[in-house]
Amino acid sequence: MLLFTPGPTPVPESLRQAMALPTIHHRTKEFEAIFAKAREELKALLGLPEVLMLASSGSGAMEAGVLSLCKSKLLSINCGKFGERWGKIAKAHKIPNTEITHQWDTPANVDEVLEALKSDSQIDAVAIQICESAGGLRHPVENIAKAIKSFNPNIIVIADAITAMGVEPIDTTHIDALIGGSQKAFMLPPGMSIIGLSQYAIDIIEERNVGLYFNLATELKNQRKNTTAWTAPTTIIIGLVAFFDLVAKNGGIQNLYVHTKKLSIATQSALESLGLRIYPKEKALAMTTIYDEANAANIRSTLKTFDVNVAAGQDHLKEKIFRINHMGIIPIYEATWVVNAVELSLDVLHIRAFDGSANKVFLDSYYKS
Ligand SMILES: *Cc1c(COP(=O)(O)O)cnc(C)c1O
């Protein structure tokens, strides 16, 4: 079965092999050297002065980021399941919170964020997703972050890049905390989160020094010395170094960005040529989300008979959408099979007769445009 869900993603052979080696202790020179390599690679990838690796899934770093960086009030962008999580984190920690909410297909815009900041001077942090995975939606985070900083450079910008890191180049010039997770584009098992930090964020973290397990000041102190406050997720960090090696072997990260973009656009074109509708108004590159109120659930289950596993929706969209992953290093022959399988499924369900056009549109788009 081809795993084509937007997280977790399949773990490639070379990463699995690296992680299959005998366990090493985390307080050793040997592991410190691996940790140092992972830190350097991540800092280069994110273009930020500091990065922390935490033993948690992505949501752990979201919580750590809000807790450490928001002093008085959080403005969060809620256009899906993950955007909603910011508000839940704030509530759990009794941090005052206000939200900008949209339908899951609609991105936030610069004007409404500035409007919210102007009308409430208590807000000292803004949290947003780069790709809101609930609908495969891309928010214009770079523009929003830039506008926030020109309005007031002291307002913290927290960006959840869990389905953007390793997918596309991210301009972090105006971002203070950039969050990632191991089980998406890094093609690793779940269990490690990442948080890249600006100098401004580092200053605030060190000054505030909050939390215990997720105390980022303690982590900064340790991780600068290539160790961690608590037991490190050693296996996943070893896998992360293997990920960077694999990317290098495949022509480097810029090549991967180009490949992912082509794959994403080719899939979108192929599915649209079958008469299917893309759900979000602004599509993220990490995944393609199809909206089909009547048939999404049937298409998804029929896809399994062609050995393809894609994700359903969540909450009110559960049976109305399906989501196809583009994160990681995906072979073209697998991605073309997925659009073929969708076309075959439409035929099985008597929605549209098979004529092989999805494959043709996909390959034309990938290789000829
Ligand atoms: C997967 C994901 C998360 C993190 O979820 P975890 O289950 O905690 O790893 C957060 N935000 C987005 C946008 C995601 O896609």
Side-chain angles (χ1 to χ4, degrees):
M1 183 80 80
L2 292 177
L3 181 60
F4 262 80
T5 56
T9 57
V11 183
E13 175 79 20
S14 66
L15 275 60
R16 292 199 305 272
Q17 294 220 344
M19 293 186 291
L21 296 173
T23 306
I24 56 171
H25 198 276
H26 56 291
R27 310 283 180 210
T28 55
K29 288 282 165 230
E30 191 187 357
F31 183 67
E32 281 173 21
I34 294 166
F35 197 87
K37 175 121 200 287
R39 263 171 70 72
E40 288 319 306
E41 293 279 12
L42 280 176
K43 281 198 239 175
L45 181 76
L46 309 185
L48 286 165
E50 228 359 297
V51 68
L52 300 172
M53 287 170 266
L54 307 172
S56 73
S57 80
S59 304
M62 291 171 70
E63 178 162 350
V66 170
L67 194 59
S68 305
L69 294 166
C70 181
K71 278 180 268 196
S72 52
K73 188 167 187 177
L74 180 73
L75 169 64
S76 50
I77 309 303
N78 174 358
C79 303
K81 201 77 189 153
F82 297 100
E84 180 188 44
R85 194 161 298 170
W86 300 119
K88 289 185 171 172
I89 291 167
K91 194 170 173 213
H93 292 284
K94 302 189 168 56
I95 297 168
N97 170 235
T98 182
E99 286 184 332
I100 290 172
T101 310
H102 290 302
Q103 292 297 314
W104 292 11
D105 64 348
T106 306
N109 64 69
V110 170
D111 292 345
E112 63 186 352
V113 172
L114 287 181
E115 201 59 39
L117 296 179
K118 280 176 195 156
S119 68
D120 191 344
S121 62
Q122 284 295 102
I123 296 168
D124 65 340
V126 179
I128 187 169
Q129 272 59 42
I130 292 186
C131 164
E132 168 52 82
S133 313
L137 173 70
R138 178 66 158 86
H139 286 298
V141 174
E142 296 85 345
N143 292 343
I144 290 174
K146 189 173 178 201
I148 292 169
K149 291 295 184 181
S150 44
F151 172 72
N152 179 354
N154 294 327
I155 294 175
I156 281 278
V157 177
I158 303 172
D160 167 358
I162 293 174
T163 45
M165 228 180 243
V167 172
E168 55 175 312
I170 303 164
D171 178 0
T172 51
T173 315
H174 305 288
I175 293 173
D176 295 298
L178 189 75
I179 292 160
S182 55
Q183 80 275 28
K184 309 281 169 87
F186 294 110
M187 302 180 287
L188 289 163
M192 187 178 76
S193 63
I194 293 161
I195 180 164
L197 300 167
S198 70
Q199 190 53 52
Y200 180 53
I202 296 167
D203 294 343
I204 292 183
I205 286 165
E206 289 180 332
E207 173 201 316
R208 296 192 65 220
N209 193 21
V210 293
L212 179 74
Y213 184 77
F214 284 135
N215 185 318
L216 299 184
T218 317
E219 288 299 343
L220 272 169
K221 206 169 91 193
N222 282 281
Q223 298 199 18
R224 279 176 174 139
K225 292 185 273 183
N226 298 316
T227 188
T228 48
W230 322 104
T231 307
T234 45
T235 310
I236 303 180
I237 294 170
I238 288 166
L240 181 62
V241 171
F243 162 80
F244 284 114
D245 288 345
L246 184 63
V247 169
K249 221 180 277 170
N250 280 274
I253 193 72
Q254 297 303 329
N255 258 18
L256 179 56
Y257 291 152
V258 171
H259 171 70
T260 305
K261 188 172 181 177
K262 288 211 274 185
L263 209 69
S264 196
I265 291 170
T267 303
Q268 172 171 345
S269 306
L271 298 183
E272 281 180 322
S273 80
L274 300 178
L276 293 170
R277 180 159 94 68
I278 304 295
Y279 174 66
K281 289 177 187 152
E282 286 296 330
K283 181 190 170 298
L285 294 175
M287 66 197 74
T288 295
T289 304
I290 296 296
Y291 185 88
D292 189 329
E293 198 164 335
N295 302 308
N298 285 336
I299 295 171
R300 200 174 83 84
S301 54
T302 309
L303 278 171
K304 291 202 173 132
T305 68
F306 294 108
D307 287 326
V308 174
N309 185 5
V310 300
Q314 295 160 294
D315 295 358
H316 64 289
L317 291 181
K318 191 167 175 30
E319 309 248 283
K320 297 181 181 167
I321 62 169
F322 63 91
R323 295 171 295 156
I324 301 173
N325 174 54
H326 307 307
M327 293 178 284
I329 305 176
I330 298 177
I332 294 161
Y333 55 82
E334 288 189 3
T336 55
W337 175 249
V338 172
V339 299
N340 266 315
V342 172
E343 189 177 349
L344 287 164
S345 300
L346 295 181
D347 189 82
V348 169
L349 297 167
H350 305 294
I351 296 166
R352 180 189 171 280
F354 182 84
D355 61 11
S357 62
N359 195 43
K360 180 179 178 349
V361 172
F362 181 97
L363 294 172
D364 273 344
S365 170
Y366 190 94
Y367 287 107
K368 303 211 169 145
S369 57

